[in-house]
Amino acid sequence: SWRLSWLTGAGGGMLVLQAAVLTYLSHPRPASLHGLNSKMKTRRQSRACSLDGSVYRCTQVAGFSLKGFNDPSPRLDCLTGKESWRICSNGEFLCLDPSSRLLSASQAKAANVTSNYCYLAGAWSMCRPLEYARSRYRDCLDSFFSHGICTPGETLCEWREMNVGETESLRSRMQVEEPSSRCLSQALPQGEVHVVVAMRDASPTMRVVEDVGLMGLTNSLVLLYRRADVGLNLAGMLSSPLVAGFPCGITVQEKLLAPNKGNEAAVYLAYMVEYYDKLPSMTVFLHDHGHTSWHSQLRPVFKRSRAFYLLVASRLRDRESGALVYPEIAKLAAYSSLVGFIDENPVTLNSCYCHELREPLCFVSYTVNDYERETNRSIHDTKSQAVLDKIYRAVISLRERSKPWDRRGRRLVWEEPPEVFQQSKRLFESIERRFGRTKSGPSIPFASCCAMFIAQSKHIRRQPKQFYNESLRAILSTPLLSYHTGRWFEFHWDDLFLDPSGARDPARRSLYVDIDDVYAEVYGETNRLADLQQLIDS
């Protein structure tokens, strides 16, 4: 497997590729561990890990409190949030404790220690191969818990030889929140769902994996595209091995795309070039902030992605009998309208309910009041602070779960001087004329900003593979600013994927609002898709 190490110094960054051969040894249970375990339980009260022979203990550092995965080290003898997050609690960091040992040399030899290990929540755990973890979900932590503790290809698992008599699972002791109840039971097979995540740089931001886990898209493959300016004559992509063991049967693969140009457009283009001939049934395109942005909130992203997944699952047939695997989905009252909803165009994952115009889809020409007129409802005053507070609480929450975050935004492209985008416009329209399939019919009924959406394989294949290939080559080599090149694609994905000969569904915009289930909660209205909501929330 390939291990990617990112080294940053005064002279800039360098990408170091190391071919690492991982050899895993068995862990026999020595007879002498029975007495050793009882002694260790009384001696070790705090959480600590032995990393390459040095002990790091969870420690309160004056003036610092660990907030998240990307927090820097508070002092020279402490590790960063990458290693401490999830392992420690109460804002503590893993800090070097040179005067202590978790196991003596003789004890470590007796226990056949070959990997890093930890004492967490009153029990022992050791880094184990992912192959071992796949069949022991309750006894192993997800990979992002072990990031920085274990080597690539490993994760922390129950150390059974040291935990004699323990009946509580490691996940339970660590109080791991189990999103498995959110996993869609109408599961699509492995390989039928991809989630493409455009990372902003090379930093190991793993929070988005938790967001995808919360979405509950069972058996999906999450592709994390990291970006880097490597200082070498390198252009293209490198891929890590697949990492399993996440909730809902999710598998994760990291990719490094260089150079760091073109924003999320370069990531999406790279994915389309690589997977064009083997596209899954549905692909979710996300930014690395997940559903924590002004243009994408939790509930709309959750509801729309699960609705799309369910409608794709409604077409799944048994290979032998040819019968529908999930016939209950096709019995939904609004099923025919919903199928048209996902078939014509990609589904946007952007929502701007908290914008001053209360725009469910982040474009100026459709507001909550427009939805009320389309569906013959009473017109409400949506601009009061009381309504805004209700909307905000709704869009950032799911049933039995809520998570606040900062609201930050940027100006939209139509508020900026158009001349700054002319060079990018000429570049990519030229590529579209030469290699693409331009539309001859009318423009799309509406467009959304911010480039987060779900597409089927047929949407992506409405453009030839050569168009994506030439566009990727241009976006990675042009001297034009990424701010401008990426923005051209941001507002053209819908046009590129549109089938101008397809049927037009005038109710499509209102279906977004019904699927989001924000309006119905805020105003106490009946949701027209109540039966679908039961499946989404199950």
Side-chain angles (χ1 to χ4, degrees), residues 18 438 488:
Q18 297 176 313
T438 58
W488 187 88

Side-chain angles (χ1 to χ4, degrees), residues 49-115:
C49 291
S50 175
L51 308 181
D52 297 325
S54 299
V55 173
Y56 289 82
R57 195 173 299 280
C58 291
T59 307
Q60 290 284 356
V61 180
F64 295 89
S65 179
L66 180 61
K67 301 295 186 183
F69 189 88
N70 290 320
D71 284 8
S73 170
R75 65 189 194 202
L76 291 177
D77 63 337
C78 295
L79 301 179
T80 68
K82 180 178 69 173
E83 297 83 14
S84 307
W85 183 244
R86 297 287 194 178
I87 296 296
C88 300
S89 58
N90 302 319
E92 296 175 331
F93 286 84
L94 279 171
C95 297
L96 184 65
D97 186 358
S99 63
S100 70
R101 288 188 177 185
L102 295 183
L103 296 174
S104 68
S106 60
Q107 291 165 345
K109 183 178 180 180
N112 193 26
V113 174
T114 58
S115 303

Side-chain angles (χ1 to χ4, degrees), residues 487-533:
R487 285 291 190 87
W488 187 88
F489 280 95
E490 177 180 344
F491 288 90
H492 282 79
W493 288 119
D494 287 293
D495 268 337
L496 292 171
F497 294 158
L498 173 70
D499 179 4
S501 63
R504 309 305 265 246
D505 183 359
R508 186 169 182 265
R509 300 184 302 185
S510 64
L511 282 170
Y512 273 101
V513 183
D514 293 325
I515 289 172
D516 293 346
D517 199 29
V518 172
Y519 178 88
E521 178 171 320
V522 170
Y523 293 108
E525 297 274 357
T526 301
N527 193 311
R528 298 185 299 167
L529 304 179
D531 49 359
L532 175 66
Q533 294 297 338

Side-chain angles (χ1 to χ4, degrees), residues 27 260 313:
H27 301 273
N260 190 0

Side-chain angles (χ1 to χ4, degrees), residues 335-493:
Y335 179 74
S336 59
S337 297
L338 291 167
V339 169
F341 171 76
I342 73 166
D343 273 353
E344 184 181 347
N345 297 311
V347 168
T348 180
L349 292 176
N350 299 305
S351 56
C352 294
Y353 284 97
C354 295
H355 184 272
E356 63 179 355
L357 296 177
R358 310 291 179 261
E359 301 168 10
L361 302 169
C362 292
F363 73 103
V364 175
S365 61
Y366 189 70
T367 67
V368 167
N369 289 150
D370 292 326
Y371 165 78
E372 291 173 326
R373 295 184 187 97
E374 282 187 0
T375 56
N376 298 316
R377 298 176 184 267
S378 300
I379 305 299
H380 292 89
D381 177 9
T382 62
K383 295 186 178 181
S384 70
Q385 186 61 43
V387 170
L388 175 60
D389 291 342
K390 287 183 179 180
I391 290 175
Y392 184 65
R393 285 193 297 270
V395 297
I396 67 168
S397 66
L398 300 175
R399 294 178 184 178
E400 305 176 352
R401 180 185 176 96
S402 63
K403 181 167 64 174
W405 47 67
D406 296 332
R407 281 180 286 177
R408 291 170 289 187
R410 59 167 172 76
R411 291 192 304 157
L412 297 181
V413 68
W414 47 76
E415 297 176 327
E416 295 158 354
E419 59 270 16
V420 301
F421 296 96
Q422 292 305 309
Q423 288 180 294
S424 293
K425 181 176 184 291
R426 287 193 292 270
L427 171 63
F428 294 113
E429 285 186 353
S430 172
I431 294 175
E432 185 180 12
R433 285 193 300 272
R434 286 184 292 147
F435 303 107
R437 185 176 295 120
T438 58
K439 64 181 187 302
S440 57
S443 297
I444 56 176
F446 62 86
S448 180
C449 76
C450 312
M452 286 179 48
F453 53 87
I454 312 173
Q456 295 184 71
S457 57
K458 66 178 182 179
H459 299 148
I460 296 173
R461 291 192 179 121
R462 283 172 184 163
Q463 294 296 331
K465 183 177 181 179
Q466 190 174 8
F467 166 76
Y468 299 122
N469 203 13
E470 295 297 328
S471 296
L472 177 62
R473 185 178 305 169
I475 208 169
L476 292 179
S477 61
T478 179
L480 298 175
L481 295 177
S482 298
Y483 179 76
H484 300 147
T485 58
R487 285 291 190 87
W488 187 88
F489 280 95
E490 177 180 344
F491 288 90
H492 282 79
W493 288 119

Side-chain angles (χ1 to χ4, degrees), residues 182-184 193-195 212-221 247-250 282 284 302 305-306 309:
R182 297 286 187 187
C183 304
L184 284 165
V193 183
H194 288 179
V195 181
V212 175
L214 177 62
M215 290 158 66
L217 306 183
T218 305
N219 293 334
S220 55
L221 170 62
C248 304
I250 291 173
M282 63 176 282
V284 183
F302 176 86
S305 60
R306 286 167 74 88
Y309 185 105

